[in-house]
């Protein structure tokens, strides 16, 4: 009772026969071999497994791979262009937005959605927007700063500016 | 010493590019073929005899390779799991094996392992195993466990009492005789579940015909794990390699030799294949040790003017079902409970008790949060009783700068510190007087704002070898190797094992300063016993004070050798060579110089070396400091409690910390942010709850509440810098300070907010329901 | 843990889906967004051997107004509800509630039909649907039937849906102009289930409360209508003291449970406080 799943992950097509019970996160990690997406709980609380699915951030531990059949998925590995980091990745690095790094991929994927929906969020909007992601190292202080910094760089009209030129 | 350029610089972390791109490898990310998956069947009973384990149905399940029980594995254990002395040499404790043999003592204790070709297959088979238990009465509560007639966990010990020890100095009777005021208070340190976001995981690979074992584990202590794997499995230590790859947080929860490290290794040896076990969160909350779960009863003797004469604390510790490896480390709380204050007498007692719960062990701060909570609540209780401002009570009792180095009643000596400087700075940052006026105004409007202080000191940097050997049974020192390569680049090997602390960055900064080699040309290696065979690993805010200084000393030794080589190359006297910024030159003639790169080449072209000098440019250091380090600081929390719902909102959080020299201030602040958040978690949200039968009611992140971003404020941080005199860099630890300081600051603020309701103490966590009940217990508000 | 093994089918139409449910009987469960079911399956607290994934059935995700009603397809996500302009204008109670469910990722996947069918007594939508006198349309082997919200929610995790019925649509009469709604939720952390929450829909016409509907979350084994509050307020001018007095009656007929987050007493108190706050908020500009 295996089922065929075809998904595009970070622009690459993947097609496999899988057990229906296979969770999307396990498909991404164990079948597609992209281990940047992590598992931190069983109850959809921690958000370490957050990926983007057809433009929406989702918790890939709370979906079966078969439900994702035919979708476009972006994981943390799909954000950097070659060796150029995505502005959010760069901002997390610049602002010390991570320590152990385990929650970071999910946190960045959640932040990406947050900024897409609200390019210029207040501190409180950022904090509320991160409700689905738990971090135990940073107290979120520098995560909030990272997202604020990324928002500046990613704001419409700011795309052309290199981070260094933003004073 | 070379001119300092890197120490003090907030350079970006070198760990981060791999972590922000998802390309770091935690245990579960390691590539491995021919893997066998281990699933641990855990006890569903808190206290029971195992009458039998029926495995035949499970053995027939698809993909199953083997099923092993405690009885099967017992002959293979060369020793039980380790238990260290940790302040209580004469404690009673049972042998604790990695898997239950004939009796279980807490829900979650391993009773069988399934080895199968996939994780799902192992789990499926696990569901088919039937363990026949004879249920026994369970006890989860400290006081009930030592009451007459309580069910006894370990019959061979006779009772549930592991130890009852005194820590006393000074004349406590005289202190109470002299007192104008005496106060009795019970303080609750609820059970905490550490919740590193990466649960634990182990991958063990035993190569049969080489008799070599490699274990990758999500651990804080790969070097300890190596030794104990060798001992328990009976393999030569030289044939055991333990690797801590990326480790996703620890907070003390990964500081123990765990059953699954032994079980995966044994399974790999049996099957001749690599065996992996990854803890899921449902297991993690039961199988990874818990923290705190203590009751502190204190009697205080004080004078009307706010002088604290003496205290008589009793620390009741819930050990859980066994004595965990560092399970009695928390008694350290008793040794440092005097805090930043002078007093005449101390009469302490620590009592450790077994219960049918997950074993407790170190959790961020380990003993020091408890001590700080005690003494900082004591200061506020005295302030309330005397009507003196809590700031003034603290000032009155402070150890003064001129008293340093100050020796406490129990004989520990503080290294340095003027505790008024952090307090003054914090008070200025919040404008304390204005805050008190605002509080008075708000009370008139029926709004309950509270201001809480904590002026902590902390012992860390464990430690000097002699006292740690005496107290814990382990000699603790710092370790490093600095090795300059042919091309003048360097590798630094350290004995600490970071899991988020940024050692790859900060230690490169330390070495770079001494050698003048750019940070990007210095690689810091850690957490692999094949690379650094000995180390004392990472816990107790020890790494920078010990291993960081060891790096400095090794780099100085390398510089010394470089100077000798340079003198030879420049045909100058060694005494005339100046070493600066990666160059050695003749004093007064800067043009007559060689670079570290040139020296490095010569070090390996050994014919160019002075007669009798060995080749290479490398040094090893085992650093044993003269004392512990003692950071200090002042934290102020401002809260508002909604009188209708009992909900607490943190309005401001200000922290001024002094951890001596800050190698990378950005990283220091990051440690503080996370620590403060965890301490707030204890104050407001977190509580591990068992029911009477020993079932964990907070068994997932749905019920065990750790703070989210929207539950916390931004933190306002500032620093003072008092270099430690006990190590060359002047550094002190900072990994736990935030947690140690924030819990009392928040709780003091909440109790202060509820002062109009006559509330003198709140048992943690300060849930909305609890605060609402306290505010309304006498029939409503006073507004 | 991994969920126990199951077989899986993806019907393209509702009748096909119903036929699968009929065929597999008690063994089968409906999978929509999965945010209630999958966590239970991962803990093996739920082990269905057959899942009918209705996620690919067309035309089940929509929000539209027709014949004086707002119709919401069962597969409409919490996110779509939260950000719907139509609902923001005409049914703010639902957008307010949707924005407080779980977290953004959960709202991207969770569906209103799934939330209703799961009937968690601490879930947010059930009290709203009850307050709004929603009608729930279900399709089964005998065709379609309409169930009133008051008959739909039976008990903890229990609805009046038959095992072989599938929720298709939720219909709510468009509130008249001037009618306002809000959802006030109290939980220890924002991502958590409600300890208590209040769904309020109120219309003040001139100086008279002409419509008042209050639904309560967390005050029993299913969502309850605070009819005492409604009676006390209907037809009154809605002065502060009246709101206060009416809110006191939020406890009438409730049977809140004891759990880690709150005692029955505390829940009753919260229901009164939140009801008063909701009423004050809605009537603030009158």
């Amino acid at each position: 009772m295996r089922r065929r799943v075809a998904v595009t992950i970070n622009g690459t097509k993947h097609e496999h026969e899988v057990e229906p019970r296979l969770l999307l996160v396990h498909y991404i990690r164990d079948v597609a071999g992209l281990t940047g997406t992590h598992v931190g709980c069983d109850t959809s609380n921690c958000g370490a497994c957050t990926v983007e699915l057809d433009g929406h951030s989702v918790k890939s531990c709370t979906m079966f791979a078969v439900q994702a059949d035919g979708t476009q998925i972006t994981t943390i590995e799909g954000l950097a262009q070659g060796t150029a980091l995505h502005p959010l990745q760069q901002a997390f690095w610049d602002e010390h937005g991570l320590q152990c790094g385990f929650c970071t991929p999910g946190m960045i994927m959640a932040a990406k959605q947050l900024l897409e929906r609200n390019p210029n969020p207040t501190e409180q909007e950022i904090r509320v927007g991160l409700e689905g992601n738990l971090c135990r190292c940073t107290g979120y202080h520098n995560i909030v700063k990272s997202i604020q910094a990324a928002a500046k760089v990613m704001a419409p009209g700011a795309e052309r500016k290199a981070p260094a030129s933003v004073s | 010493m070379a001119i300092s350029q890197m120490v003090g610089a907030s350079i970006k972390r070198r760990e981060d590019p791999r972590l922000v791109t998802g390309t770091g490898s935690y245990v579960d990310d390691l590539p491995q073929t021919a893997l066998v998956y281990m699933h641990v069947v855990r006890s569903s009973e808190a206290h029971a005899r195992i009458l039998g384990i029926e495995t035949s149905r499970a053995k027939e399940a698809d993909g199953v390779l083997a099923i092993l029980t405690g009885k099967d594995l017992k002959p293979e254990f060369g020793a039980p799991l380790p238990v260290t002395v940790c302040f209580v040499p004469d404690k009673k404790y049972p042998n604790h094996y990695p898997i239950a043999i004939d009796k279980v003592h807490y829900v979650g204790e391993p009773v069988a392992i399934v080895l199968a070709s996939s994780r799902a297959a192992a789990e499926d088979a696990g569901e088919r195993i039937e363990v026949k238990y004879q249920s026994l009465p369970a006890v989860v509560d400290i006081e009930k466990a030592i009451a007459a007639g309580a069910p006894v966990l370990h019959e061979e010990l006779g009772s549930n009492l592991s130890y009852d020890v005194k820590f006393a100095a000074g004349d406590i009777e005289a202190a109470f005789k002299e007192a104008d005021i005496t106060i009795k208070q019970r303080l609750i340190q609820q059970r905490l579940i550490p919740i590193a976001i990466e649960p634990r995981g182990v991958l063990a690979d035993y190569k049969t015909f080489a008799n070599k074992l490699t274990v990758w584990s999500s651990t804080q202590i790969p070097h300890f794990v190596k030794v104990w794997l060798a001992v328990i499995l009976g393999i030569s230590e030289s044939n055991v390699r333990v690797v801590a790859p990326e480790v996703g947080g620890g907070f003390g929860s990964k500081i123990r030799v765990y059953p699954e490290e032994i079980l995966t290794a044994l399974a790999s040896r049996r099957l001749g294949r690599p065996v992996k076990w990854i803890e899921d969160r449902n297991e993690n909350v039961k199988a990874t040790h818990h923290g705190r779960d203590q009751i502190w009863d204190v009697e205080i003797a004080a004078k009307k003017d706010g002088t604290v004469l003496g205290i008589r604390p009793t620390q009741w510790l819930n050990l859980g079902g066994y004595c965990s490896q560092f399970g009695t480390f928390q008694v350290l709380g008793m040794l440092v409970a005097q805090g930043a204050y002078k007093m005449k007498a101390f009469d302490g007692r620590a009592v450790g008790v077994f219960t049918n719960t997950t074993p407790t062990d170190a959790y961020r701060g380990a003993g020091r949060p408890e001590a700080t909570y005690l003494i900082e609540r004591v200061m506020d209780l005295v302030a309330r009783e005397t009507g003196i401002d809590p700031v003034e009570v603290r000032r009155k009792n402070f150890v003064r700068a001129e008293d340093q180095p100050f020796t406490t009643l129990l004989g520990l000596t503080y290294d340095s510190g003027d505790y008024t400087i952090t307090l003054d700075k914090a008070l200025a940052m919040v404008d304390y007087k204005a805050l008190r006026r605002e509080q008075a105004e708000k009370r008139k409007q029926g709004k309950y704002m509270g201001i809480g202080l904590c002026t902590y000191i902390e012992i860390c940097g464990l430690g000097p070898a002699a006292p740690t050997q005496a107290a814990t049974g382990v000699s603790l020192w710092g370790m490093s190797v600095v090795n300059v390569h042919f091309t003048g680049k360097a590798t630094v090997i350290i004995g600490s094992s970071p899991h988020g602390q940024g050692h790859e960055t900060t230690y490169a900064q330390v070495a770079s300063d001494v050698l003048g080699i750019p940070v990007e040309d210095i690689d810091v290696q850690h957490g692999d016993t094949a690379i650094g065979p000995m180390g004392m690993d990472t816990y107790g805010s020890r790494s920078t004070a010990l291993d960081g200084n060891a790096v400095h000393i090794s780099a100085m030794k390398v510089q010394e050798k470089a100077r000798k080589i340079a003198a030879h190359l420049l045909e100058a006297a060694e005494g005339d060579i100046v070493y600066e910024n990666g160059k050695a030159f003749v004093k007064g003639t800067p043009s007559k110089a060689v670079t570290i790169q040139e020296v490095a080449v010569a070090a390996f072209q050994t014919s160019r070396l002075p007669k009798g000098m060995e080749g290479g440019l490398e040094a090893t250091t085992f650093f044993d400091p003269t004392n512990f380090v003692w950071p200090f600081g002042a934290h102020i929390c401002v809260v508002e409690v909604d009188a209708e719902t009992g909900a607490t909102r943190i309005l401001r959080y200000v922290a001024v910390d002094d951890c001596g020299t800050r190698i990378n201030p950005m990283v220091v602040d990051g440690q503080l942010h996370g620590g403060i958040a965890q301490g707030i978690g204890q104050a407001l949200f977190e509580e591990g709850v068992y029911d009477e039968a020993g079932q964990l009611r907070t068994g997932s992140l749905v019920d065990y509440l750790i703070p989210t971003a929207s539950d916390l404020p931004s933190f306002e941080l500032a620093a003072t810098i008092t270099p430690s005199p006990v190590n060359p860099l002047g550094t002190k630890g900072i990994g736990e300070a935030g947690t140690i300081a924030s819990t009392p600051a928040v709780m003091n603020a909440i109790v202060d907010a509820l002062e109009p309701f006559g509330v003198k103490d709140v048992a943690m966590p300060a849930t909305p329901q609890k605060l609402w009940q306290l505010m309304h217990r006498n029939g409503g508000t006073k507004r | 843990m991994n969920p126990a093994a199951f077989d899986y089918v993806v019907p393209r139409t509702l009748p096909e889906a119903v036929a699968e449910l009929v065929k597999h009987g008690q063994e089968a469960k409906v999978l929509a967004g999965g945010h209630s079911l999958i966590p239970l399956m991962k803990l093996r607290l739920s082990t269905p051997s057959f899942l009918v994934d209705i996620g690919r059935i067309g035309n089940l995700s929509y929000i539209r107004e027709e014949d004086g009603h707002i119709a919401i397809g069962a597969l409409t996500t919490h996110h779509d509800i939260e950000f719907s302009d139509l609902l923001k204008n005409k049914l703010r109670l639902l957008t307010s509630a949707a924005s407080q469910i779980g977290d953004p990722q959960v709202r991207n996947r969770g569906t209103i039909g799934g939330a209703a069918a799961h009937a968690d007594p601490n879930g947010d939508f059930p009290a709203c649907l009850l307050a709004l006198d929603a009608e729930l349309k279900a399709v089964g082997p005998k065709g379609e039937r309409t169930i009133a919200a008051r008959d739909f929610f039976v008990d903890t995790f229990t609805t009046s849906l038959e095992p072989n019925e599938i929720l298709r649509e939720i219909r709510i009469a468009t509130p008249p102009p001037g009618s306002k709604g809000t959802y006030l939720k109290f939980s220890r952390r924002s991502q958590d289930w409600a300890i208590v929450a209040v769904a309020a829909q109120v219309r003040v016409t001139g100086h008279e409360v002409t419509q008042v509907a209050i639904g309560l979350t967390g005050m029993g084994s299913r969502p309850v209508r605070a009819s005492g509050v409604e009676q006390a307020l209907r037809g009154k001018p809605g002065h502060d003291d009246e709101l206060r007095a009416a809110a006191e009656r939020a406890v009438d007929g409730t049977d809140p449970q004891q759990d880690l987050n709150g005692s029955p007493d505390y829940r009753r108190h919260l229901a009164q406080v939140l009801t008063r706050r909701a009423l004050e908020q809605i009537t603030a500009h009158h």
Side-chain angles (χ1 to χ4, degrees), chain B residues 27-48:
Chain B
V27 172
D28 199 19
D29 305 338
L30 296 168
Q32 184 65 260
T33 51
L35 261 185
V36 173
Y37 292 81
M38 180 174 88
H39 171 68
V40 182
V41 177
R42 297 181 183 280
S43 174
S44 57
E45 299 263 329
H47 195 195

Side-chain angles (χ1 to χ4, degrees), chain C residues 59-92:
Chain C
N59 297 324
L60 283 180
S61 173
Y62 54 83
I63 303 167
R64 57 182 175 239
E65 192 173 15
E66 53 196 21
D67 317 327
H69 282 77
I70 288 167
I72 304 173
L75 288 185
T76 308
T77 64
H78 308 331
H79 169 262
D80 288 342
I81 290 170
E82 179 184 0
F83 286 88
S84 157
D85 287 332
L86 174 65
L87 295 180
K88 274 184 199 160
N89 287 330
K90 302 203 169 175
L91 210 49
R92 196 168 269 277

